[in-house]
């Protein structure tokens, strides 16, 4: 299984280079991250081609691709098509703007990965589900584009190709973000397991009679382990901070896209039930492909969201484990006591949080508020359609 994971990771690596998302190179086995003129030249050429195609796209996409629609539906469809392309272009621009910071982030991740190469076996299911979900989104998008291109002009076909290209760029960028957070999540799980063992061992030491040499030796050993965990937690928090800076603009685009697509999907579903597929001139095959695409799209979105929320939960679990320290009876070695206090002070001074460009946090409460807002704006859009069309 681990070999298959390695092959899939390699495939993702080359595909990111192929479509022009990654503009530098790295070697997972050695942890080396570097620039090369071949990669720089190829990526710049591909990005320029996408930009030129996007410039000529203006005005080529219209609602005739999707059957008979009213003015509001046409506006919504064209707006969402443009948003997909803008999202991909913004992602590419941000990759050049923060190339150095992204390379440093990858270097920090590889440094920890090289120290623990067995992480593939621990994160394989999270990676496999995400990999096949992302692959399904791209495949269904291609099939839907092929289904639609039979009744469009060459210019409109190029516009569809541009949408697919930029959507693939954004999907792969989201996959990269997911893999980084998955890496942090697995590290937290390992760290919590070790911390739980240290807590249990410390509790046993408090209840045992002291034998000077053996007692101090064991406490020093636990203190070393605790300091290693504290160091790892600090490195993981640094990685999360770097992720927030490097993927900040992309995160804003992605969350805006999820929000707007959810509202639009609710409205278009209402329109389909209101007008019927015949009145909208939509074939059953097209409807099935469209809903299949939305199913995998939102499944992918849920995987991304829960991946972040689980990391936050793992950090809370670590805080809960550290809080058990106050239940110990006094009597541990001074060095071990100081290690516990230092670790608790470290996490207290540096709260672990995730946010999007400091605009809003990503947690359970903001997610619930976002879902409520989506429902509200979906109802408002449907009401507007009922009153005017």
């Amino acid at each position: 299984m681990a070999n298959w994971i390695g092959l899939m990771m390699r495939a993702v690596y080359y595909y990111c280079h192929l479509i022009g998302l990654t503009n530098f190179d790295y070697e997972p086995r050695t942890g080396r991250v570097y620039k090369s003129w071949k990669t720089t030249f190829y990526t710049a050429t591909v990005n320029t081609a996408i930009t030129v195609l996007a410039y000529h796209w203006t005005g080529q996409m219209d609602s005739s691709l999707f059957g008979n629609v009213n003015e509001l539906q046409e506006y919504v469809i064209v707006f969402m098509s443009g948003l997909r392309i803008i999202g991909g272009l913004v992602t590419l621009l941000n990759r050049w703007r923060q190339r150095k910071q992204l390379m440093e982030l990858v270097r920090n991740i590889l440094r920890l990965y090289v120290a623990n190469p067995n992480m593939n076996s621990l994160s394989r299911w999270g990676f496999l589900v995400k990999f096949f979900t992302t692959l399904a989104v791209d495949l269904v998008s291609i099939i839907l584009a092929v289904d639609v291109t039979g009744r469009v002009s060459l210019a409109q076909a190029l516009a569809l190709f541009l949408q697919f290209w930029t959507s693939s760029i954004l999907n792969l960028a989201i996959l990269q973000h997911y893999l980084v957070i998955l890496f942090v999540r697995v590290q937290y799980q390992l760290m919590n397991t070790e911390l739980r063992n240290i807590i249990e061992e410390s509790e046993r030491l408090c209840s045992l009679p002291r034998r000077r040499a053996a007692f101090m030796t064991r406490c020093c050993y636990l203190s070393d382990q605790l300091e290693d965990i504290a160091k790892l937690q600090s490195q993981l928090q640094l990685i999360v901070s770097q992720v927030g800076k490097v993927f900040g603009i992309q995160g804003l685009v992605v969350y805006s896209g999820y929000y707007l697509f959810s509202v639009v999907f609710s409205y278009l579903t209402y329109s389909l039930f209101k007008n019927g597929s015949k009145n909208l001139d939509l074939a059953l095959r097209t409807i099935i492909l469209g809903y299949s695409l939305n199913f995998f799209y939102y499944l992918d979105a849920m995987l991304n969201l829960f991946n972040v929320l689980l990391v936050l939960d793992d950090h809370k679990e670590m805080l809960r484990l550290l809080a058990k320290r106050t239940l110990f009876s006094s009597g541990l070695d001074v060095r071990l006591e100081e290690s516990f206090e230092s670790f608790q002070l470290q996490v207290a001074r540096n709260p672990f949080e995730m946010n999007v460009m400091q605009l809003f946090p990503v947690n359970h409460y903001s997610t619930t508020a976002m879902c409520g807002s989506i429902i509200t704006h979906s109802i408002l859009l449907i009401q507007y359609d009922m009153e005017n069309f």
Side-chain angles (χ1 to χ4, degrees), residues 290-335:
Y291 276 94
S292 298
L293 177 60
N294 279 279
F295 170 78
F296 288 113
Y297 177 79
Y298 285 110
L299 176 60
D300 186 74
M302 290 298 103
L303 290 175
N304 299 328
L305 176 61
F306 284 116
N307 193 41
V308 173
L309 296 181
L310 286 174
V311 172
L312 295 174
D313 291 340
D314 288 334
H315 181 76
K316 290 180 180 178
E317 173 66 13
M318 186 198 69
L319 297 179
R320 187 187 68 81
L321 291 172
L322 283 176
K324 287 186 175 181
R325 170 65 191 91
T326 58
L327 303 178
F328 295 178
S329 59
S330 59
L332 291 176
D333 183 71
V334 175
R335 184 185 171 195

Side-chain angles (χ1 to χ4, degrees), residues 12 17 34 58 60 97 125 140 171 207 214 216 297 323 378 383:
V12 171
H17 280 284
Y34 61 97
T58 306
Q60 299 299 332
R97 189 178 68 89
W125 290 113
V140 176
N171 289 338
S207 61
M216 291 186 62
Y297 177 79
S378 298
Q383 287 179 335

Side-chain angles (χ1 to χ4, degrees), residues 314-363:
D314 288 334
H315 181 76
K316 290 180 180 178
E317 173 66 13
M318 186 198 69
L319 297 179
R320 187 187 68 81
L321 291 172
L322 283 176
K324 287 186 175 181
R325 170 65 191 91
T326 58
L327 303 178
F328 295 178
S329 59
S330 59
L332 291 176
D333 183 71
V334 175
R335 184 185 171 195
L336 183 54
E337 293 272 6
E338 290 178 350
S339 296
F340 271 113
E341 292 176 1
S342 176
F343 195 5
Q344 289 177 315
L345 181 61
Q346 172 184 307
V347 295
R349 293 177 59 185
N350 300 291
F352 187 89
E353 59 183 17
M354 295 186 183
N355 54 67
V356 179
M357 296 185 68
Q358 304 295 327
L359 296 176
F360 59 90
V362 181
N363 52 42

Side-chain angles (χ1 to χ4, degrees), residues 208-272:
L208 294 176
R210 298 186 187 181
R211 296 175 181 176
R212 190 66 180 172
F215 179 82
M216 291 186 62
T217 300
R218 193 59 187 170
C219 284
C220 288
Y221 174 74
L222 294 178
S223 178
D224 290 338
Q225 284 189 313
L226 194 59
E227 289 175 0
D228 289 340
I229 292 175
K231 181 180 178 181
L232 176 59
Q233 194 277 333
S234 178
Q235 292 172 331
L236 293 177
Q237 189 144 351
L238 174 62
I239 288 175
V240 171
S241 177
Q242 290 177 318
V243 169
K245 294 176 181 178
V246 172
F247 291 90
I249 296 178
Q250 174 191 309
L252 182 61
V253 172
V254 170
Y255 270 89
S256 299
Y258 285 150
Y259 185 92
L260 294 173
F261 278 120
S262 298
V263 174
V264 169
F265 176 70
S266 301
Y267 169 66
L268 293 180
T269 300
Y270 157 78
S271 298
L272 180 62

Side-chain angles (χ1 to χ4, degrees), residues 155-209:
Q156 291 174 332
L158 288 175
L160 283 173
F161 173 72
L162 176 62
Q163 281 193 76
F164 166 72
W165 196 346
T166 52
S167 295
S168 296
I169 288 172
L170 196 55
N171 289 338
L172 277 177
I174 295 172
L175 175 60
Q176 290 178 340
H177 180 273
Y178 176 91
L179 292 178
V180 174
I181 299 301
L182 180 62
F183 174 84
V184 174
R185 180 176 145 202
V186 172
Q187 290 281 12
Y188 254 99
Q189 291 173 351
L190 294 173
M191 183 173 60
N192 284 343
T193 300
E194 294 181 12
L195 181 58
R196 189 177 294 108
N197 293 334
I198 292 175
I199 296 291
E200 293 174 356
E201 181 68 16
S202 299
E203 288 178 330
R204 285 195 293 269
L205 286 175
C206 288
S207 61
L208 294 176

